[in-house]
Amino acid sequence: MTTPHLNVRNLSAGYGRARVLFDIDLTVHPGTIACVMGRNGVGKTTLLNTIAGLITPTTGTITHTGTDITTLAPHQRTRRGIAYAPQGHDTFAPLTVAENLHVAHQATRRNRPDLIDAALERFPRLKPLLGRKAGLLSGGQAQQLAIARALVTDPDLLILDEPTEGIQPNIVAEIETAITDTAAQGITVLLVEQYLDVALRLADTITVIDAGRVIHTGPRTELTHRSAHALMAI
Ligand SMILES: Nc1ncnc2c1ncn2[C@@H]1O[C@H](COP(=O)(O)OP(=O)(O)OP(=O)(O)O)[C@@H](O)[C@H]1O
Ligand SMILES: [Mg+2]
């Protein structure tokens, strides 16, 4: 067996006394697209925030390429190659598209302008918008910028929280292609995706969470549209 790219074991986390995640196990293998699904409020974002280091777990461990990263700060995880595009496509609104990409790239302390070129090749729609303030972008453009910002940090693991939420269908298709191409390039992807069709097209493995617990995990091929729908409706 190869070392998992990401290995979450027995993870519990919450907010103050409110426990949200209970003994979560999640294994993501190198070069795969792992999709986490579940209804609203079941703890998907809390899980990704904990993996990114924004929330401290109450129990459990997170390993990245075999190294325990459970206590690392978010920026240390970024430098290890973990990039995170949070839910709601946050960008630096007062900065231009170009500045957004440069600031994200500089934070990694690398000098790889080719990463910015590659991110723009992945999202050609951003090229004519380089001088525009991020706060003036449409939702779809802002989402593409949020993913591009993650890519310029040279990740080996890209974490995306609902990149297609509230986005018009033609842009959803572009984002799907960008995710597939990113994975084909060898970058592992951990994705929270609400739309069943998108998840079933993209994912190699699907993990379903309900009320903070994993209720299903396995290869995408184990699920039909109907069985996946049934899991989501529990
Ligand atoms: N900052 C916070 N403080 C307290 N409770 C929170 C906080 N953020 C989320 N919660 C609660 O934790 C639970 C899980 O929320 P989370 O955002 O992880 O769910 P989710 O599965 O990502 O939902 P969605 O599909 O709506 O994005 C919810 O009950 C939510 O109200
Ligand atoms: Mg969420």
Side-chain angles (χ1 to χ4, degrees):
M1 278 294 273
T2 53
T3 307
H5 200 144
L6 181 74
N7 199 359
V8 173
R9 281 288 159 268
N10 247 323
L11 191 83
S12 300
Y15 304 93
R17 281 206 214 145
R19 222 169 137 194
V20 171
L21 298 178
F22 300 85
D23 301 322
I24 299 277
D25 287 337
L26 176 69
T27 306
V28 184
H29 289 289
T32 62
I33 301 179
C35 190
V36 172
M37 305 196 71
R39 293 176 305 167
N40 288 123
V42 296
K44 304 178 300 292
T45 297
T46 304
L47 174 60
L48 297 192
N49 281 343
T50 309
I51 293 169
L54 302 170
I55 294 174
T56 304
T58 47
T59 67
T61 56
I62 305 166
T63 55
H64 173 241
T65 57
T67 302
D68 190 330
I69 60 161
T70 316
T71 59
L72 289 191
H75 71 277
Q76 294 173 306
R77 299 184 201 212
T78 308
R79 283 200 199 128
R80 278 192 62 91
I82 301 173
Y84 182 32
Q87 188 168 9
H89 50 75
D90 252 0
T91 56
F92 301 126
L95 300 188
T96 66
V97 168
E99 287 164 345
N100 265 274
L101 295 174
H102 282 285
V103 167
H105 178 251
Q106 275 167 1
T108 64
R109 295 194 188 156
R110 284 175 227 195
N111 186 16
R112 294 269 313 277
D114 57 298
L115 291 169
I116 294 180
D117 297 338
L120 289 170
E121 286 311 314
R122 195 67 82 220
F123 295 107
R125 223 175 249 282
L126 295 178
K127 284 190 202 170
L129 302 171
L130 283 170
R132 185 165 304 179
K133 296 248 188 302
L136 300 177
L137 297 179
S138 71
Q141 292 163 344
Q143 183 62 66
Q144 295 191 328
L145 176 58
I147 302 173
R149 273 202 333 177
L151 287 174
V152 299
T153 66
D154 195 20
D156 57 41
L157 173 64
L158 176 65
I159 303 178
L160 304 173
D161 195 353
E162 300 208 30
T164 63
E165 188 182 25
I167 300 218
Q168 66 191 65
N170 66 319
I171 308 280
V172 169
E174 289 178 18
I175 289 173
E176 257 191 81
T177 305
I179 292 171
T180 315
D181 291 351
T182 299
Q185 183 197 326
I187 297 175
T188 305
V189 179
L190 172 60
L191 168 76
V192 165
E193 179 55 59
Q194 284 280 46
Y195 297 118
L196 191 52
D197 291 338
V198 176
L200 291 177
R201 278 197 296 270
L202 281 176
D204 296 302
T205 59
I206 293 185
T207 299
V208 183
I209 296 180
D210 194 54
R213 296 175 199 274
V214 172
I215 58 162
H216 170 89
T217 192
R220 180 263 170 262
T221 47
E222 275 180 5
L223 289 177
T224 61
H225 200 281
R226 181 190 285 251
S227 65
H229 200 268
L231 277 169
M232 238 61 73
I234 282 170

